[in-house]
Amino acid sequence: LAKTTQPISMDSYEGQEVNITCSHNNIATNDYITWYQQFPSQGPRFIIQGYKTKVTNEVASLFIPADRKSSTLSLPRVSLSDTAVYYCLVGDLQGGGNKLTFGTGTQLKVEL
Amino acid sequence: NAGVMQNPRHLVRRRGQEARLRCSPMKGHSHVYWYRQLPEEGLKFMVYLQKENIIDESGMPKERFSAEFPKEGPSILRIQQVVRGDSAAYFCASSPGHSQETQYFGPGTRLLVL
């Protein structure tokens, strides 16, 4: 399983765009990149998943460069309710890799 | 469409007692995963089960811990003779199929061992 490296914490203000970058230098050909969000006392919640280039949904965008050795989760116009821990995970989509490996994540704190 | 259900949400046990944690997957999901989270840490995989089968238990401690997912009823994570180090949040996740489809997590059970 590819190891991921993220900043331990980030601070932002309401209305700003937040970009959280994750490094995964040993990503394998079959690996996908998935981001989860976790609020205190709750289970992680799936945000977005991608393989290459750019993926966008109603919550966030995920940018993946051509070498796939890193990825950036972009949260547009954050609000106080986006304060949470964000986990970047890398794993094989095709069989044998169903266990998710969580790092320590990035604690995002959004202030007024 | 109920999500993943876990109960109890909080469980207090004294050292040496048994803890039973229950997980009901989302409707239509036949794959269940258990994770443990210690304070200030990320989740650690414990075990992956399908109905009546343990597929991967590589993250499960060899002693005192067991898991099952019977044909009928919820998945159970059982911890025998609990110790203080077992105090943690235990999360269950479910997915519909095998090929790493999105896992949906429950709210967790917070176990406190006195």
Side-chain angles (χ1 to χ4, degrees):
Chain A
L1 296 171
K3 181 181 176 182
T4 60
T5 303
Q6 309 172 228
I8 293 174
S9 63
M10 294 183 69
D11 294 327
S12 184
Y13 293 97
E14 274 201 318
Q16 291 189 327
E17 177 184 79
V18 171
N19 296 309
I20 306 175
T21 298
C22 177
S23 297
H24 27 80
N25 291 317
N26 297 322
I27 190 169
T29 302
N30 291 334
D31 285 346
Y32 275 66
I33 300 155
T34 308
W35 286 79
Y36 278 82
Q37 174 193 56
Q38 186 179 28
F39 296 112
S41 301
Q42 294 187 27
R45 183 175 74 103
F46 171 86
I47 301 176
I48 197 166
Q49 184 178 73
Y51 184 81
K52 62 180 179 181
T53 62
K54 177 184 175 182
V55 179
T56 298
N57 60 24
E58 63 278 5
V59 177
S61 294
L62 179 59
F63 299 92
I64 306 168
D67 66 6
R68 304 201 325 122
K69 293 184 182 299
S70 67
S71 60
T72 299
L73 174 73
S74 181
L75 305 171
R77 297 180 300 279
V78 295
S79 64
L80 293 175
S81 62
D82 292 316
T83 294
V85 179
Y86 292 82
Y87 295 98
C88 165
L89 292 85
V90 173
D92 185 359
L93 190 68
Q94 299 282 331
N98 286 64
K99 55 189 174 187
L100 299 179
T101 300
F102 288 80
T104 52
T106 298
Q107 171 67 64
L108 172 65
K109 183 178 180 182
V110 180
E111 299 175 296
L112 288 172
Chain B
N1 184 16
V4 177
M5 311 274 287
Q6 289 188 250
N7 68 82
R9 293 294 307 277
H10 300 273
L11 183 61
V12 179
R13 286 288 180 266
R14 296 190 181 280
R15 281 179 295 171
Q17 292 184 319
E18 178 180 285
R20 282 189 179 232
L21 288 61
R22 297 175 187 78
C23 169
S24 296
M26 287 182 68
K27 186 177 181 181
H29 289 191
S30 59
H31 299 248
V32 166
Y33 316 80
W34 285 93
Y35 295 82
R36 176 166 64 176
Q37 185 175 33
L38 296 172
E40 309 301 323
E41 294 187 12
L43 283 72
K44 297 289 193 294
F45 168 82
M46 298 181 74
V47 63
Y48 161 40
L49 310 101
Q50 295 179 29
K51 282 288 187 181
E52 301 185 276
N53 290 304
I54 295 175
I55 306 302
D56 181 350
E57 56 181 347
S58 58
M60 191 99 94
K62 293 290 186 286
E63 297 179 353
R64 301 189 298 108
F65 286 72
S66 63
E68 62 178 10
F69 189 15
K71 186 176 181 180
E72 301 292 337
S75 175
I76 306 286
L77 179 67
R78 183 184 178 201
I79 310 172
Q80 295 177 290
Q81 299 175 319
V82 295
V83 300
R84 288 207 173 124
D86 296 331
S87 295
Y90 292 83
F91 291 97
C92 167
S94 72
S95 70
H98 169 64
S99 55
Q100 204 194 57
E101 295 178 26
T102 301
Q103 293 184 20
Y104 296 86
F105 284 81
T109 293
R110 277 144 192 85
L111 172 65
L112 175 62
V113 179
L114 300 175

